[in-house]
Structures are given as C-alpha cells and as structure tokens.
Amino acid sequence: MTEWFLCMDSENPSPEKRLEGKKILLGITGSIAAYKSVYLCRFLVKEGAEVRIIMTPSATQFVRPVTFATLSKNPVRISLAENDEWSDHVEWGLWSDAFLIAPLTANTLAKMATGMADNMLLATYLSCRSKIIVAPAMDLDMWHHPATCQNLETILSRGVMLIDVVDGELASGLQGPGRMAEPEDILEYTVKLFSNNKPLQGKSVLVTAGPTRESIDPVRYLTNHSSGKMGFALANALADAGASVQLVHGPVDEEFRLNSSIKKHPVVSAEEMLTACNYLYEKIDIAIFAAAVSDYKPEEFTMQKIKKEDGNTLVLRLKKNPDIAAELGKIKKNKLHIGFALETENEIENARKKLQTKKFDMVVLNSLADEGSGFGYDTNKVTFVEQNNILHLELKPKAEVAKDIVNYIVKKL
Ligand code: C5P
C-alpha cells in the first residue's frame, strides 16, 4: 500500500493546487476502469479539491468503497437509503461545482438519457445543477452501438460534457475505442474547466435560435421544423468560453439545460425577433444567426378562426418577413457576423451568396442530404464557408459543433 502511494505521488508532482476550494463529486459506475478512478480521486485531492464519491452498486464489485472513503476523506454514498435513513441526493448535487462521472458505463449512460433514478448516482445526476462531465468506458461494440450513440447524443445535447474514450486494448482483449481516458487527462480536463482562461471574456454575443411562428388566425400558425438545439448549444459554448450571451429564441419544445449566465429573450414571430435583436444589437460584439426564421407570414392576420368552406382549396396570401441577418448586416461595421445555411443544392455557391447578401463573415452550412444532420437531430455535419476558405467538419454532436464555432471565433478575434 505504501509503495503504491509513493508511486502515484512521484508520478504526478503538483507544486500548486490548481483545484483549491473546488467541490467535486466523483461518480463511479460498474466498469473495470473503476480502478483508474482510484488514481483520479487521489489526483483531485492532491490538487486541493474537496472530493465526495458516489458509487453505483455494481461499481463496488470492482473497487471497495473503503478505498475511496479513505482517499477522499469522506463517506461514500451508494444507496438512496442507508441504515434505514434516506440519503439526501439533492444536497450533494447542489453542493458540487462539478459532477464527474468516470467511468461511465453504457448502462448508466442509457439511464441518464432516459431520466431513470434507481440509485444514488442517477438521482443525484437528475437534481444536479453544476457542470456534469462524463468519461465513458466500455467495449468497442457497445461504444459503437446505435443505442449508445443516441444516448450519448441525448445527454450531450442537454449540456453534459464529454471526455472522449481512447483507442487501445480493452478488457475483452479486443482492440479499439472504448477505454476510459487516463486519470491524468481527466484531471487536466477538470483543471481546464475551472481555469480562468476564458477566451471570450468581455465579449458580448447575440445568438438567434429556434423557429419563428407566424399566426394565421387565433388557432393556426406557420412555422418550421427547427428544434433550437444548435442555437442553444452555441449559447452554452459561448457562455462556457466566458462570453456574455443574449439568446433571442423562438418557441422551442424542449427544456434545454442552459448556462445560468445566459440572458434569454423568448419571442414568437420574426418581427418580434427583429425588434429584440435591434434592441440588443448596439451593445454586442458578435452576432450568430442560428434561428430558422420564417421567410413569409400571412399577409393578414384573420381575427376569427378561418372556417372550412366548400371546394378543395384555400388560398392563403403570404408576404415577406424581414430578414434579420440582412437588416443587421446593413449596420454591422466591425462586428463579427456568423450565419447558418441549410441547403439542398449548389450548397457552397448558395452559402457564398449569403456571405455577400447578408454580410456574414462566415456561414455554417449544413445539408439535408447528410444523414444525422439538420432539424431535430442531436448531431450535425457542417462546413464552414468563408469567401476564400472552406472547412468540412465531420458528423458530431451539436455541442461539439458549437465548440468548433467558438474556436473559430476565438481565432478570428
Ligand atoms: O436565406 P436563408 O434563410 O437561407 O438564410 C439563413 C440565415 O439567415 C440564417 O443565419 C438565419 O438565421 C438568417 N435569417 C434571418 N432572418 C430571416 C431569414 C434568415 O436572420 N428572415
């Protein structure tokens, strides 16, 4: 035991305590990679973090709770009720600055995606308000299974952060992706998360998101399939990078987990969206137009419900809505404008036209032809189009696309 401690300490000398004062909840699920979390726990403590541990019952088959209790100097929680006493999962969730689940099994991932709460770790996850980071570990076929991919996309779209699996030898003897990241790398990710290095600190960003809704009569409206996922993911990524974010969004169905610093401005129609954007525009440095604004609205709003009449057709006259991006483009001066384009043909050419007509500095192009891309999906396959540059990105969760856009902005500034 002594030798083992000596070995770990000498491997990771840490002169300054980079997590001093941080409260970290470390969740451990039933994977062989749980042994690496013993090191992780020790590293976090050595960096000055206060660490509390929650294990799933199956995790205790891999590492004994007493190991973690000793290293964290705190009792380990496993069940929702222990010794006939209820354990307060809400309190632990609220206490933490970050909830790090490492390793995360396919089983716990599936339960997180569906909102199950049949153990202490899951109940805490559901009531946790702090940053949630997961480091999955599983066999490569489990990792590639469509169910796992979908579950991962679901939790990432809700704001959970991912420390990706790494390639290598797996417990099964197979070779491939599925190994949990090394504890040293998880530690560095966590330190970075809390570091004050916020590249967009001091910048104010306007983001438009979601669809707009154009009323026809008191009960009907025109809209589109936009879910708002991309725009909300962008708002979160920008806020995580230190930007002050004004999110003007149309009606969305999903309750997105949003960084608490983001200022939300819910609107319904394109006219309302333009009014809100005009109001906010003067004080912002960057504008990102991710909303799917209705191009047209009914020429007239009919005060009474339109009645069904004889005959097979009904003519509804539409008129053009304002183009928010183009309107603000006219007064942009040196602000950075990024737009989105969803094209079905001549994609690059059409995206380039928008650079000019709407005065965008860059267009994030996505094509409905790409599987997993576009409305409603948690993933997106995009191309960054500038006047003289094109960058094709692979299919990835929208939260990751959002980070790529943030990185683009940081480089541009
Ligand atoms: O012309 P199109 O609708 O393809 O342009 C898409 C881009 O323009 C997106 O960035 C979208 O948010 C923005 N847009 C807008 N107001 C409109 C239509 C589109 O801001 N009325």
Coordinates of all heavy atoms in Angstrom, one line a residue, residues 109-110 113 143-158 377-379:
L109 N -25.2 5.3 -18.7 CA -25.5 6.3 -19.8 C -26.9 6.2 -20.3 O -27.6 7.2 -20.4 CB -24.5 6.0 -21.0 CG -24.8 6.8 -22.3 CD1 -24.7 8.3 -22.1 CD2 -23.8 6.3 -23.4
A110 N -27.4 5.0 -20.5 CA -28.8 4.8 -21.0 C -29.8 5.3 -20.0 O -30.8 6.0 -20.3 CB -29.0 3.3 -21.3
A113 N -29.8 9.1 -20.0 CA -30.5 9.6 -21.2 C -32.0 9.5 -21.0 O -32.8 10.3 -21.6 CB -30.1 8.8 -22.5
W143 N -19.7 0.6 -27.5 CA -19.4 2.1 -27.8 C -20.0 2.5 -29.1 O -20.6 3.5 -29.3 CB -17.9 2.3 -27.7 CG -17.5 3.7 -28.1 CD1 -16.8 4.1 -29.2 CD2 -17.8 4.9 -27.3 NE1 -16.6 5.5 -29.1 CE2 -17.3 6.0 -28.0 CE3 -18.5 5.2 -26.1 CZ2 -17.4 7.3 -27.6 CZ3 -18.6 6.5 -25.7 CH2 -18.0 7.5 -26.4
H144 N -19.9 1.5 -30.1 CA -20.4 1.9 -31.5 C -21.9 1.6 -31.7 O -22.5 1.9 -32.7 CB -19.7 1.0 -32.5 CG -18.3 1.5 -32.8 ND1 -18.0 2.9 -33.0 CD2 -17.1 0.9 -32.8 CE1 -16.7 3.0 -33.2 NE2 -16.1 1.8 -33.1
H145 N -22.5 0.9 -30.7 CA -23.9 0.5 -30.9 C -24.8 1.8 -31.0 O -24.6 2.8 -30.3 CB -24.4 -0.3 -29.6 CG -25.7 -1.0 -29.9 ND1 -26.9 -0.4 -29.9 CD2 -25.9 -2.3 -30.3 CE1 -27.9 -1.2 -30.2 NE2 -27.3 -2.4 -30.5
P146 N -25.7 1.7 -32.0 CA -26.6 2.9 -32.2 C -27.3 3.4 -30.9 O -27.5 4.6 -30.8 CB -27.6 2.5 -33.2 CG -27.0 1.3 -33.9 CD -26.1 0.6 -32.9
A147 N -27.7 2.5 -30.1 CA -28.3 2.9 -28.8 C -27.4 3.8 -28.0 O -27.8 4.8 -27.5 CB -28.8 1.7 -28.0
T148 N -26.1 3.3 -27.9 CA -25.2 4.1 -27.1 C -24.9 5.5 -27.7 O -24.9 6.5 -27.0 CB -23.8 3.3 -27.0 OG1 -24.1 2.0 -26.5 CG2 -22.8 4.0 -26.1
C149 N -24.8 5.4 -29.1 CA -24.5 6.7 -29.8 C -25.7 7.7 -29.5 O -25.5 8.9 -29.2 CB -24.4 6.5 -31.3 SG -23.0 5.5 -31.7
Q150 N -26.9 7.2 -29.6 CA -28.0 8.0 -29.4 C -28.1 8.5 -28.0 O -28.4 9.7 -27.7 CB -29.3 7.2 -29.8 CG -30.5 8.1 -30.1 CD -31.6 7.3 -30.7 OE1 -31.5 6.1 -30.8 NE2 -32.7 8.0 -31.0
N151 N -27.9 7.7 -27.0 CA -27.9 8.1 -25.6 C -26.9 9.1 -25.3 O -27.2 10.1 -24.6 CB -27.7 6.9 -24.7 CG -28.9 5.9 -24.7 OD1 -30.0 6.3 -25.0 ND2 -28.6 4.6 -24.5
L152 N -25.7 9.0 -25.9 CA -24.6 9.9 -25.7 C -25.0 11.3 -26.3 O -24.9 12.3 -25.6 CB -23.3 9.5 -26.3 CG -22.1 10.3 -26.0 CD1 -21.8 10.2 -24.5 CD2 -20.9 9.8 -26.8
E153 N -25.6 11.2 -27.5 CA -26.0 12.5 -28.1 C -27.1 13.2 -27.3 O -27.1 14.4 -27.1 CB -26.6 12.2 -29.5 CG -25.5 12.0 -30.6 CD -26.0 11.2 -31.8 OE1 -27.3 11.2 -31.9 OE2 -25.2 10.7 -32.5
T154 N -28.0 12.4 -26.7 CA -29.0 13.0 -25.9 C -28.4 13.7 -24.7 O -28.8 14.9 -24.4 CB -30.0 11.8 -25.4 OG1 -30.5 11.2 -26.5 CG2 -31.1 12.4 -24.5
I155 N -27.5 13.1 -23.9 CA -27.0 13.8 -22.7 C -26.1 14.9 -23.1 O -26.2 16.0 -22.4 CB -26.4 12.8 -21.7 CG1 -25.1 12.2 -22.3 CG2 -27.3 11.8 -21.2 CD1 -24.2 11.6 -21.1
L156 N -25.4 14.8 -24.2 CA -24.6 16.0 -24.6 C -25.4 17.2 -25.0 O -25.1 18.3 -24.8 CB -23.6 15.6 -25.8 CG -22.5 14.5 -25.5 CD1 -21.6 14.3 -26.6 CD2 -21.7 14.9 -24.2
S157 N -26.5 16.9 -25.7 CA -27.4 18.0 -26.1 C -28.1 18.6 -24.9 O -28.5 19.8 -25.0 CB -28.5 17.4 -27.1 OG -29.5 16.7 -26.3
R158 N -28.0 18.0 -23.8 CA -28.6 18.6 -22.6 C -27.5 19.3 -21.8 O -27.7 19.7 -20.6 CB -29.3 17.6 -21.7 CG -30.5 17.0 -22.4 CD -31.1 15.9 -21.6 NE -32.2 15.3 -22.3 CZ -32.6 14.0 -22.1 NH1 -32.0 13.3 -21.2 NH2 -33.6 13.5 -22.8
Y377 N -32.1 16.6 -35.2 CA -31.0 15.7 -34.8 C -30.2 16.3 -33.7 O -30.1 17.5 -33.5 CB -30.1 15.4 -36.0 CG -30.7 14.5 -37.0 CD1 -31.2 15.0 -38.2 CD2 -30.7 13.1 -36.8 CE1 -31.7 14.1 -39.1 CE2 -31.3 12.3 -37.7 CZ -31.8 12.8 -38.9 OH -32.3 12.0 -39.8
D378 N -29.5 15.4 -32.9 CA -28.6 15.9 -31.9 C -27.2 16.1 -32.5 O -26.3 16.6 -31.8 CB -28.5 15.0 -30.7 CG -29.8 15.0 -29.9 OD1 -30.4 16.1 -29.8 OD2 -30.2 13.9 -29.5
T379 N -27.0 15.6 -33.7 CA -25.7 15.8 -34.4 C -25.9 16.7 -35.6 O -27.0 17.0 -36.0 CB -25.3 14.4 -34.9 OG1 -26.4 13.8 -35.6 CG2 -24.8 13.5 -33.8

